[in-house]
Amino acid sequence: MGFRFNLFLFLIAMLSTPVLSDLILAKVDRRIDLTSQIVRITSVLKVENAGTDVVSEVLFALPEYQSKNLVFMQAFPNGGKGKTKASTTSLPFQVVNPEGMPPALTFYSVSLPKGLSKGESFTFDVFVVFTHSLRPFPEEITQADSQIVLFQDSAYYLSPYEVKVQSLTVTLPSARVESYTKLHNTKHVDSEIKYGPYEKLPPFSYSPIVIHFENNRPFAVAQQLVREIEISHWGNIQVTEHYNLVHGGAQNKGGFSRLDYQVRAHVRGSSSFRHLTAKLPPRARSVYYRDEIGNISTSHLWGDSRKTELEIEPRYPMFGGWRTSFTIGYGLPLKDFLFESGKKRFLNITFGCPIDDVVVNNLIVKVVLPEGSKDISVATPFVVKQSQEVKYSHLDIAGRPVVVLEKTNVVPEHNVHFQVYYKFNTLSLLREPLMLISGFFLLFITCIVYMHADITISKSSPSYLAKLQWDEVQAAIQQFRSSINRCLVVHDKLEASLRDLSRTGDVQSCKAARKAADGSLKELAKELKPLLAFLQSSPQATQLWPKVEELVAKEREMQEKLMLKHSTVVDSYEKKSGVRDIENRIASLQQKLVALRQDVDELLEFLDEI
Amino acid sequence: MEVSENGKSASLRQAFGNVLSFFILLLVGVLAFSIRLFSVIKYESVIHEFDPYFNYRVTQYLTKKGIYEFWNWFDDRSWYPLGRVIGGTVYPGLTLTAGSIWWLLNSLNVPLSVETVCVFTSPIFSANASWATYLLTKEVKGTGAGLTAAALLAMVPSYISRSVAGSYDNEAVAIFALIFTFYLYLKTLNTGSLFYATLNALSYFYMVCSWGGYTFIINLIPMHVLLCIVTGRYSARLYIAYAPFVVLGTLLASLVPVVGFNAVMTSEHFASFLIFIIIHVVAFVYYIKGLLSQKMFNVAVALVVSFGMVVCCAVVSVLVPLVASSPTKGWSGRSLSLLDPTYASKYIPIIDSVSEHQPPTWPSYFMDINVLAFLVPAGIIACFEPLSDASSFVVLYIVTSVYFSGVMVRLMLVLAPAACIMSGIALSEAFNVLTRSVKFQLSGVPEKSQSGDTTSRIAVTQSEVVKTEKQPPIDKTEDTIKERTSKKNKKKEKEHEEKASLKSQIQKRLLVLPLETSIIAILLLVLLGAFYVVHCVWAAAETYSAPSIVLTSYSDDGLQVFDDFREAYAWLRHNTEVDDKVASWWDYGYQTTAMANRTVIVDNNTWNNTHIATVGTAMSSPEKAAWEIFNSLDVKYVLVVFGGFIGYLGDDIDKFLWMVRIGGGVFPHIKESDYLRDDEYRIDSQAPSTMLNCLMYKLSYYRFVETDGKGFDRARETEIGKKYFELNYFEEVFTTHHWMVRIYKLKSLKNRIRGKAKKSKSSSEGSVTTSLKRSGKIKRNPWH
């Protein structure tokens, strides 16, 4: 077990005890927060310079079993009680490997804002975060059991310096504690365990403690999270997050009974979790939550001007060891996150996972910049692995540059803003619409060209010639028809003049109409002649010719009959014969005329449809 | 001046008409597409039901691995331990279509997921199908009927039921292929163009790729050819329409792996070959007839007929024993059950057990084709005046499809296009007559007042009558003239139409109805159409859009969503080992492989009856025997669907009798009567103990009584018979939120038979006893 090893280490440390510098820690206050799956330790250190040299660096030590789980560290000056860390800037620190120190310890050297001269003191906070430091024990539990975890640390502050006064407070999620290491000066009140104060401990003092307590907070671990942030200069930033989630606590054994879970959910199933809450930026829109087999219908969304909250519920309650995967996507207004500085634009957006209390083992953030972006640079508040790739989407030609940022072990503390700077010409925005427009334009142009161009390969082939002839014939027929129609119009005029005659008895005007009609009919006959000659000669019109001929003959006949009728009527009017008499005389003519008109109409209709 | 104006107005009118019909068609396409989006809007963009999940999975494989891998795909995730050769047993048309759409979009850098493409494939093809219907009906009765039929087909509920967005099934593209093939056949028949004949064969090839229903085409077209020959309508066009189609079509069809040699070996295709021979004989006879004089010809006929009879007898006597030697007479089970509706229930319970293979009820006709059912007879009548080659084809189509739809509910889908075409013809003809008479009456009124001479009008109509009587013989002579010149004349086909329309115009002039009557009739027809539209939209929105993997219900608390299936599949997907085998009734096989990505024992392909019977037997056996069967199949999880908690009908208990029946069909120790009390299927305290002790009952009702204290099954509305029992061989590992899916794990062997193992150790020879034991197991285990 690790304890024995640590004890061993401690002994080595005791033996070596080099005097590093003349610093001493006047006061150390440590608070360990164990209320979630993430361990957060805040240490308030008061350093005093007991030596003569001016010291500007303080060493901070962590044993190996902790340093390998360390995911976040921050040191900032403590301006007094009640002051928040936001008001002050953090102190820079770096990993150092001082000589003569036990190799099992990792040292971080914190640079003080100004050197400490003799007798001066300085108070600062060190905030460290560990993941995977709570080990479930037992490792397998049934649905009805609570999850119990182990946490180990040292009751004494492990430091290369002498510590005058120190105390340790451990905050637990509930009052239920299986066991904890009891030293002198140990108090257990409700959900807090206090160690200390201890006074005057030499450097590298170490006293292992183990706390075995109940922790039913969600142990949601995203084994991989891929966040894709796609910028569109049309006004939208699309964020898509792919989660691979697992319940990282004690493994579930012995199956899952829905009955027990539904009847006594808080007892039977206390180690599981149902919801996760994602805090999205304000004005997030078109939020979706789905997995590879479709939408997951169990989610709720609230929003106000400051934030958008998305409560998601995986398809099934998550018990220890159960996995799930899903995707969250949302759009953000561009103007909230994209700014300009000088010639460059930059995206300013949060880095980490928006879901509360999720540890991300491997986070990949991909920022997809618009096609044609140049001079890309990234500013992150911590070290990440960077690379670039190209993504093709939505009618791209050159592809969009993608900045890929990778980081392992990400906790909510990493949820800070980072910036991606790039240059982008706004005119490039018009590229894709123009491409579409020109594409369609070309399509229509080709259609028009195709419709109008004669792409016949052989101009002398019989079928091509036949087609040409046929077109001519059609044109001729068209003309022919219209001439005949005009003839018919003239006929109608004559008839109308006869009706006028019967009404008014004006013989003169009727004769004038007759004269006019004669003239126009003659003209029309002249017009018809070349057409008929053409139709007769054209080989394509052979089928039509009989009809045409028939039509012409019928029209002639009709013309004759009409003239006959007209002159008869006019004559009888001049002779002043009775109406009945006239009707009797022209009755046979009238009947023939009607029949002829019918035939002509039909023939015309036939020609019409060619 | 006047000439050009006249010509202009005519061509303008024509251009306007073309543009108008183009836009109408565009809108019909939009309508067909958007009416199918209810499922996406009301639910979500997700694949529906059972078979579409398989198609989706195949498409995913195709897009991921490429076409060659796809042809060679041996699927080890289904039919464990047999597996299934996917490339050779699926109709690849749908998959290839969606795959190529996806590929095209992706190569244009349009990032659509395979799922999205699959979801929207069927609406896209419905739009295509309505355009194909326009073309087909235009060949039969002109543009007006075509547009009406296209609009009707765009929203016919029967087709919507199979092609809503997400219903990614073969039928979605197959109906388009069917209609398009028929269109090309008619086009070839009307034009006699070899170009269209080739296209026709290609379109048939696409149909063969898409759906097993292609046998309908390969039987219907020969039937029509035969009809034409018998009614003396043989022409060179008919020959061109048919002969290349059979030759090319059969060659192409046999390229599809799932069809292969079936294209020449099974009885479904024999009709086409027979007619192929007949049409050649007829063509030859016509040729001879042209060469010989009438008298010589009669002699030749007598000679050939007597000789031919002998040859025929010989051929038949060879063929009959060959065909009869196969137990199904060379017909596949599904086809046989079409010809003999009682066949399936007698011999193949697995076909019978599928609800869509049942005959439809009368209300389902009304539900699926609605007012079209009343318009179809009118359309048939319209097709008979005048009866052309094309119109006789659609009449044949509607008659056969009515029969097939009466046999199987599923084939209502084949009826729907025919009904739409017929109704389109009927509606357009009716509107034609009515609007014409309105127009005639309106323009006729002033004429009447002008002439004031009624006798002449009567004379006119009389002469018209005389004309129409005269018309047909003239037409016929013209017909023959046209026939002769047809090869040279490209526009011949158009003239054909024109003549038909001219004839009909003359006839129409006789059909003048009074103004009031025609206006009222138009109003009524519009009302009928409106009723149809309302019904279709309702059917699309309410009845046919549910994806069936997500259920919803409206209660006092508002909308309730039952997403249990996906909950269970997601659980299986993420929380079991990749190689675990999951046993369930075959209905859920496709979904399990697609959504949970786990190996299943049986799935919806139902190609191996014995395997399904094994699972059925396990489900209907007592726990221990079932455990042994499942264990022998390497099963680790058993999945049952249970609706008793929320009152979901159609769960495994409802289907249980089919499991017994199918299981009993292969393993006779399962007897249906053991599960029935007085021929009644029940699960209450009156139920027989076989029923109450079988695995399905136990897995469904395990600890169910503790939910309400009584064990009241809400789906069957009765209290269950056996309430408190323990499971010894299975352990519950997951139950979904509404208890709709329950997953059990087989308990492992070691803990169970420790006592027995000790006993066997104490006996003299371990190996012998174990082998003995194994043989003992074999007796009890019907799997071996």
Side-chain angles (χ1 to χ4, degrees):
Chain A
M1 290 292 281
F3 309 130
R4 194 170 297 161
F5 172 71
N6 287 332
L7 210 60
F8 173 64
L9 183 150
F10 164 68
L11 285 174
I12 295 177
M14 289 303 281
L15 287 174
S16 57
T17 45
V19 178
L20 194 74
S21 64
D22 301 325
L23 285 176
I24 51 168
L25 293 172
K27 197 176 179 217
V28 176
D29 263 329
R30 281 195 299 153
R31 297 196 136 265
I32 301 180
D33 180 3
L34 298 179
T35 50
S36 68
Q37 59 164 331
I38 301 166
V39 177
R40 297 180 169 90
I41 303 177
T42 318
S43 319
V44 182
L45 309 176
K46 188 179 178 189
V47 256
E48 254 180 38
N49 193 352
T52 49
D53 300 342
V54 175
V55 182
S56 63
E57 287 195 336
V58 182
L59 288 181
F60 182 82
L62 283 178
E64 195 190 10
Y65 71 95
Q66 281 191 334
S67 66
K68 74 171 195 282
N69 287 333
L70 177 79
V71 292
F72 186 79
M73 180 171 169
Q74 203 175 25
F76 42 87
N78 188 326
K81 274 185 183 172
K83 270 218 161 184
T84 53
K85 57 180 171 181
S87 60
T88 52
T89 50
S90 59
L91 304 172
F93 64 89
Q94 60 189 19
V95 182
V96 289
N97 213 350
E99 272 177 45
M101 288 289 169
L105 293 179
T106 313
F107 288 90
Y108 300 87
S109 132
V110 179
S111 316
L112 300 178
K114 59 180 176 33
L116 285 182
S117 42
K118 183 175 190 283
E120 273 185 324
S121 73
F122 180 74
T123 313
F124 68 98
D125 292 1
V126 177
F127 178 63
V128 286
V129 179
F130 305 103
T131 58
H132 306 295
S133 300
L134 299 178
R135 200 158 49 79
F137 188 83
E139 285 175 341
E140 281 194 339
I141 54 171
T142 63
Q143 184 186 348
D145 297 335
S146 279
Q147 179 171 268
I148 309 169
V149 294
L150 284 175
F151 174 72
Q152 49 167 303
D153 199 358
S154 161
Y156 305 146
Y157 182 63
L158 183 66
S159 166
Y161 312 113
E162 184 190 337
V163 183
K164 275 186 180 163
V165 183
Q166 62 170 305
S167 66
L168 169 69
T169 312
V170 182
T171 314
L172 303 174
S174 69
R176 214 190 129 202
V177 176
E178 287 285 305
S179 69
Y180 61 96
T181 312
K182 289 193 178 89
L183 302 173
H184 67 281
N185 264 349
T186 308
K187 267 179 283 177
H188 176 207
V189 181
D190 277 351
S191 58
E192 273 194 347
I193 299 173
K194 282 193 171 149
Y195 289 93
Y198 305 110
E199 289 178 6
K200 289 251 171 182
L201 287 171
F204 298 110
S205 305
Y206 190 90
S207 163
I209 53 168
V210 175
I211 303 171
H212 195 194
F213 63 101
E214 182 190 78
N215 188 344
N216 280 326
R217 296 296 302 271
F219 270 47
V221 178
Q223 289 177 315
Q224 172 147 321
L225 166 61
V226 180
R227 296 185 79 206
E228 192 178 272
I229 302 163
E230 185 161 357
I231 301 169
S232 158
H233 277 263
W234 293 102
N236 189 41
I237 293 179
Q238 182 65 38
V239 184
T240 318
E241 297 170 354
H242 304 277
Y243 289 88
N244 246 330
L245 210 67
V246 65
H247 186 299
Q251 301 283 310
N252 176 261
K253 69 171 182 196
F256 162 67
S257 163
R258 177 67 68 173
L259 182 78
D260 293 339
Y261 186 72
Q262 272 170 342
V263 177
R264 296 171 288 272
H266 52 286
V267 186
R268 305 284 184 126
S270 51
S271 62
S272 68
F273 63 89
R274 274 183 97 141
H275 322 277
L276 294 169
T277 310
K279 288 200 175 66
L280 308 181
R283 288 184 291 284
R285 60 197 174 204
S286 355
V287 181
Y288 65 83
Y289 167 48
R290 57 165 294 153
D291 62 5
E292 60 267 80
I293 54 176
N295 179 47
I296 306 172
S297 44
T298 42
S299 62
H300 302 279
L301 187 72
W302 302 277
D304 56 29
S305 59
R306 281 182 294 122
K307 63 176 188 306
T308 312
E309 269 191 9
L310 173 70
E311 187 191 271
I312 56 173
E313 195 179 316
R315 287 193 188 275
Y316 37 86
M318 295 289 289
F319 279 88
W322 286 13
R323 289 154 200 282
T324 190
S325 69
F326 54 86
T327 304
I328 299 175
Y330 47 93
L332 298 170
L334 186 74
K335 60 179 195 308
D336 291 5
F337 297 93
L338 193 78
F339 308 95
E340 278 187 60
S341 70
K343 278 186 179 177
K344 281 196 160 184
R345 293 156 201 268
F346 68 95
L347 173 81
N348 186 28
I349 201 165
T350 52
F351 184 78
C353 157
I355 300 180
D356 281 352
D357 281 344
V358 170
V359 173
V360 184
N361 286 352
N362 188 19
L363 172 69
I364 300 173
V365 179
K366 293 182 177 180
V367 181
V368 184
L369 299 172
E371 195 178 16
S373 307
K374 294 185 296 275
D375 297 343
I376 302 155
S377 60
V378 184
T380 49
F382 32 75
V383 184
V384 294
K385 202 173 127 199
Q386 275 189 38
S387 57
Q388 278 205 16
E389 54 187 46
V390 177
K391 183 190 175 186
Y392 293 91
S393 124
H394 292 297
L395 304 169
D396 286 346
I397 294 170
R400 306 174 182 208
V402 183
V403 177
V404 184
L405 308 174
E406 270 183 77
K407 179 156 177 55
T408 52
N409 289 326
V410 180
V411 288
E413 275 73 17
H414 287 113
N415 222 341
V416 288
H417 286 78
F418 73 104
Q419 291 80 34
V420 180
Y421 294 88
Y422 63 97
K423 275 185 186 165
F424 179 71
N425 188 354
T426 324
L427 278 181
S428 315
L429 267 186
L430 296 175
R431 186 150 81 185
E432 271 150 21
L434 282 179
M435 214 165 77
L436 278 183
I437 290 168
S438 50
F440 276 98
F441 183 71
L442 276 179
L443 179 74
F444 290 132
I445 287 286
T446 13
C447 283
I448 290 169
V449 167
Y450 176 77
M451 296 298 277
H452 285 262
D454 192 348
I455 48 165
T456 316
I457 297 167
S458 157
K459 301 276 185 208
S460 57
S461 78
S463 69
Y464 179 72
L465 290 177
K467 190 179 160 260
L468 283 186
Q469 276 171 355
W470 176 242
D471 286 347
E472 275 172 38
V473 165
Q474 267 186 322
I477 291 277
Q478 194 81 12
Q479 272 188 343
F480 173 71
R481 260 183 50 227
S482 70
S483 306
I484 295 287
N485 273 330
R486 273 150 65 202
C487 282
L488 292 178
V489 168
V490 173
H491 292 181
D492 285 348
K493 270 187 196 157
L494 273 178
E495 292 273 10
S497 76
L498 280 182
R499 274 201 295 278
D500 281 349
L501 183 67
S502 68
R503 215 171 51 237
T504 60
D506 189 352
V507 181
Q508 286 314 311
S509 67
C510 193
K511 275 185 176 169
R514 165 79 183 264
K515 207 170 251 175
D518 269 343
S520 48
L521 281 175
K522 252 175 211 152
E523 247 174 57
L524 284 170
K526 231 185 256 172
E527 258 178 45
L528 274 177
K529 231 171 221 168
L531 281 177
L532 289 174
F534 169 74
L535 283 176
Q536 197 171 7
S537 63
S538 168
Q540 285 289 312
T542 40
Q543 306 165 35
L544 294 172
W545 178 242
K547 294 259 169 187
V548 172
E549 220 173 9
E550 195 187 344
L551 185 54
V552 171
K554 288 257 161 88
E555 203 272 337
R556 280 268 156 73
E557 201 184 339
M558 211 173 147
Q559 211 169 306
E560 276 163 23
K561 292 269 151 67
L562 193 60
M563 289 302 169
L564 194 63
K565 177 185 162 191
H566 195 266
S567 45
T568 329
V569 173
V570 170
D571 276 0
S572 21
Y573 261 93
E574 274 176 342
K575 287 172 194 164
K576 305 252 182 339
S577 29
V579 179
R580 176 146 311 191
D581 189 30
I582 296 170
E583 268 182 22
N584 279 343
R585 269 210 253 169
I586 60 169
S588 62
L589 277 178
Q590 187 69 38
Q591 225 163 37
K592 264 186 196 157
L593 267 177
V594 168
L596 279 172
R597 181 65 188 248
Q598 199 61 44
D599 288 354
V600 167
D601 277 352
E602 231 147 66
L603 284 167
L604 270 180
E605 213 167 279
F606 173 75
L607 288 177
D608 197 17
E609 285 179 12
I610 285 166
Chain B
M1 288 296 285
E2 239 178 32
V3 181
S4 60
E5 256 173 41
N6 232 341
K8 242 184 212 167
S9 75
S11 66
L12 246 175
R13 219 175 62 197
Q14 204 190 351
F16 181 68
N18 282 344
V19 170
L20 192 68
S21 33
F22 175 77
F23 276 105
I24 290 174
L25 278 179
L26 200 70
L27 287 178
V28 164
V30 170
L31 172 72
F33 185 81
S34 49
I35 202 171
R36 288 166 169 82
L37 296 188
F38 275 112
S39 59
V40 172
I41 294 162
K42 286 186 73 179
Y43 297 89
E44 56 177 290
S45 167
V46 73
I47 307 283
H48 289 197
E49 304 213 318
F50 305 105
D51 287 19
Y53 267 99
F54 172 73
N55 297 327
Y56 170 50
R57 186 165 155 254
V58 176
T59 315
Q60 271 184 321
Y61 188 89
L62 173 71
T63 50
K64 226 179 277 169
K65 300 276 176 88
I67 180 84
Y68 292 105
E69 285 282 311
F70 164 70
W71 289 124
N72 293 328
W73 184 18
F74 178 80
D75 180 20
D76 55 357
R77 289 237 166 254
S78 58
W79 293 96
Y80 183 85
L82 310 169
R84 178 185 170 193
V85 185
I86 300 272
T89 57
V90 289
Y91 287 99
L94 178 75
T95 324
L96 292 179
T97 309
S100 30
I101 293 176
W102 178 85
W103 175 83
L104 188 74
L105 287 174
N106 253 40
S107 54
L108 288 175
N109 284 333
V110 179
L112 282 182
S113 68
V114 178
E115 189 190 6
T116 315
V117 172
C118 292
V119 166
F120 291 102
T121 299
S122 47
I124 289 170
F125 271 81
S126 320
N128 289 349
S130 50
W131 291 328
T133 311
Y134 162 74
L135 293 172
L136 170 58
T137 321
K138 195 179 151 209
E139 284 304 308
V140 180
K141 276 284 171 183
T143 316
L147 290 176
T148 324
L152 291 177
L153 185 99
M155 46 190 176
V156 65
S158 168
Y159 187 27
I160 287 180
S161 73
R162 289 323 195 86
S163 63
V164 291
S167 180
Y168 178 56
D169 212 347
N170 288 337
E171 287 92 335
V173 296
I175 292 300
F176 158 71
L178 180 86
I179 301 171
F180 198 64
T181 311
F182 286 157
Y183 155 67
L184 286 170
Y185 171 68
L186 289 187
K187 184 86 186 170
T188 327
L189 195 57
N190 280 342
T191 57
S193 150
L194 207 52
F195 171 69
Y196 285 114
T198 320
L199 282 188
N200 187 21
L202 286 177
S203 164
Y204 171 69
F205 175 54
Y206 184 62
M207 176 72 189
V208 177
C209 281
S210 310
W211 196 33
Y214 75 91
T215 45
F216 182 61
I217 295 182
I218 202 66
N219 284 303
L220 184 65
I221 289 181
M223 269 166 81
H224 177 247
V225 171
L226 189 66
L227 185 79
C228 283
I229 292 172
V230 167
T231 53
R233 287 173 163 273
Y234 171 80
S235 63
R237 288 175 288 111
L238 186 69
Y239 181 83
I240 288 174
Y242 186 67
F245 164 71
V246 168
V247 176
L248 274 178
T250 307
L251 278 177
L252 289 170
S254 51
L255 290 182
V256 183
V258 62
V259 177
F261 277 107
N262 284 351
V264 284
M265 306 276 279
T266 57
S267 300
E268 279 99 340
H269 305 81
F270 283 174
S272 62
F273 302 134
L274 187 67
I275 306 298
F276 186 68
I277 297 167
I278 289 178
I279 198 169
H280 276 97
V281 170
V282 170
F284 185 68
V285 167
Y286 270 79
Y287 176 69
I288 297 291
K289 204 175 179 181
L291 288 183
L292 299 179
S293 68
Q294 190 61 40
K295 206 173 168 189
M296 288 286 283
F297 180 69
N298 286 342
V299 174
V301 165
L303 206 82
V304 169
V305 164
S306 51
F307 179 69
M309 289 293 271
V310 176
V311 174
C312 269
C313 287
V315 170
V316 166
S317 62
V318 171
L319 272 183
V320 163
L322 258 181
V323 173
S325 65
S326 105
T328 57
K329 313 279 181 292
W331 293 76
S332 71
R334 258 163 237 234
S335 310
L336 265 185
S337 64
L338 272 183
L339 298 179
D340 173 12
T342 59
Y343 178 82
S345 53
K346 271 188 277 182
Y347 301 108
I348 324 172
I350 200 143
I351 290 182
D352 203 27
S353 77
V354 181
S355 63
E356 60 186 23
H357 292 167
Q358 305 292 335
T361 51
W362 286 113
S364 73
Y365 275 97
F366 186 74
M367 178 69 205
D368 275 0
I369 55 173
N370 200 246
V371 301
L372 305 187
F374 310 117
L375 289 170
V376 164
I380 296 178
I381 291 169
C383 279
F384 273 103
E385 51 180 32
L387 187 71
S388 64
D389 291 348
S391 64
S392 68
F393 178 77
V394 286
V395 170
L396 197 67
Y397 176 22
I398 185 97
V399 170
T400 46
S401 61
V402 164
Y403 169 74
F404 287 132
S405 73
V407 176
M408 246 188 218
V409 130
R410 191 153 106 117
L411 293 178
M412 193 78 95
L413 201 57
V414 176
L415 169 68
C420 287
I421 292 163
M422 281 304 177
S423 314
I425 291 171
L427 273 182
S428 118
E429 294 283 296
F431 272 116
N432 234 342
V433 168
L434 296 173
T435 49
R436 192 174 284 269
S437 39
V438 168
K439 208 163 114 187
F440 185 82
Q441 298 283 15
L442 286 181
S443 63
V445 170
E447 233 173 65
K448 208 174 174 182
S449 63
Q450 256 187 359
S451 67
D453 189 359
T454 44
T455 48
S456 69
R457 276 177 51 85
I458 293 164
V460 169
T461 42
Q462 271 174 351
S463 69
E464 271 175 20
V465 174
V466 174
K467 276 280 126 56
T468 45
E469 276 166 3
K470 275 182 196 163
Q471 204 70 25
I474 294 168
D475 271 348
K476 234 173 211 174
T477 53
E478 274 168 355
D479 248 336
T480 49
I481 293 165
K482 295 278 146 61
E483 209 83 280
R484 238 169 266 159
T485 53
S486 69
K487 271 167 204 162
K488 279 182 194 168
N489 196 347
K490 277 186 178 177
K491 304 256 172 174
K492 197 218 62 137
E493 123 262 343
K494 231 183 179 182
E495 272 167 36
H496 224 74
E497 262 171 35
E498 275 154 22
K499 236 178 307 106
S501 66
L502 179 67
K503 235 195 289 179
S504 57
Q505 266 176 21
I506 291 156
Q507 279 168 341
K508 262 172 216 149
R509 217 170 279 170
L510 291 170
L511 293 167
V512 173
L513 298 171
L515 185 65
E516 297 76 22
T517 323
S518 38
I519 287 179
I520 290 172
I522 287 177
L523 284 179
L524 285 178
L525 279 182
V526 168
L527 206 69
L528 192 74
F531 179 67
Y532 175 71
V533 172
V534 169
H535 172 81
C536 291
V537 172
W538 172 80
E542 300 294 328
T543 329
Y544 291 136
S545 288
S548 94
I549 54 162
V550 189
L551 312 171
T552 52
S553 79
Y554 289 93
S555 64
D556 301 336
D557 322 332
L559 181 74
Q560 248 199 313
V561 180
F562 300 98
D563 204 359
D564 286 38
F565 288 112
R566 285 195 294 188
E567 184 183 342
Y569 293 134
W571 186 85
L572 276 176
R573 184 186 189 101
H574 294 294
N575 298 309
T576 56
E577 295 297 316
V578 159
D579 287 329
D580 284 347
K581 282 86 194 168
V582 180
S584 65
W585 189 232
W586 60 264
D587 294 26
Y588 313 104
Y590 278 167
Q591 290 185 348
T592 311
T593 38
M595 286 202 260
N597 193 22
R598 292 293 171 267
T599 310
V600 295
I601 306 299
V602 290
D603 68 22
N604 309 44
N605 186 237
T606 64
W607 65 273
N608 188 327
N609 193 33
T610 318
H611 219 50
I612 291 177
T614 309
V615 173
T617 308
M619 292 294 190
S620 28
S621 306
E623 217 187 318
K624 188 173 181 211
W627 186 93
E628 275 160 6
I629 295 172
F630 279 142
N631 196 44
S632 72
L633 286 170
D634 265 2
V635 170
K636 204 157 175 200
Y637 296 95
V638 181
L639 178 151
V640 293
V641 172
F642 172 61
F645 188 67
I646 50 153
Y648 163 68
L649 289 168
D651 61 354
D652 277 348
I653 292 285
D654 275 357
K655 291 170 187 164
F656 182 62
L657 270 196
W658 287 112
M659 302 181 203
V660 173
R661 237 168 256 169
I662 293 168
V666 178
F667 303 107
H669 69 277
I670 302 287
K671 290 182 196 73
E672 192 179 337
S673 54
D674 291 348
Y675 297 84
L676 302 174
R677 171 84 64 203
D678 305 329
D679 279 347
E680 206 181 335
Y681 177 56
R682 52 201 313 168
I683 45 128
D684 56 9
S685 48
Q686 299 294 308
S689 67
T690 341
M691 177 68 214
L692 295 181
N693 284 316
C694 74
L695 184 70
M696 182 49 78
Y697 180 90
K698 283 193 163 180
L699 297 190
S700 291
Y701 294 115
Y702 177 62
R703 295 188 73 190
F704 177 60
V705 69
E706 292 172 50
T707 52
D708 59 353
K710 288 187 302 190
F712 185 78
D713 184 325
R714 288 181 185 80
R716 284 148 287 269
E717 303 199 324
T718 146
E719 249 176 66
I720 59 171
K722 194 173 174 183
K723 293 176 182 173
Y724 299 94
F725 53 85
E726 283 300 311
L727 288 174
N728 299 320
Y729 297 87
F730 295 85
E731 120 184 271
E732 184 186 13
V733 285
F734 190 75
T735 298
T736 57
H737 189 240
H738 302 100
W739 289 57
M740 277 168 66
V741 184
R742 310 194 71 180
I743 300 170
Y744 293 85
K745 191 176 178 180
L746 268 72
K747 280 190 182 164
S748 49
L749 199 66
K750 277 173 251 159
N751 298 336
R752 194 171 59 78
I753 52 160
R754 191 180 293 155
K756 277 188 184 177
K758 266 180 195 165
K759 243 183 237 168
S760 69
K761 249 182 208 169
S762 65
S763 73
S764 55
E765 278 187 35
S767 63
V768 174
T769 39
T770 47
S771 70
L772 265 175
K773 258 176 74 190
R774 198 173 296 145
S775 67
K777 239 183 229 172
I778 286 162
K779 256 182 214 164
R780 272 176 275 127
N781 183 358
W783 167 243
H784 290 282

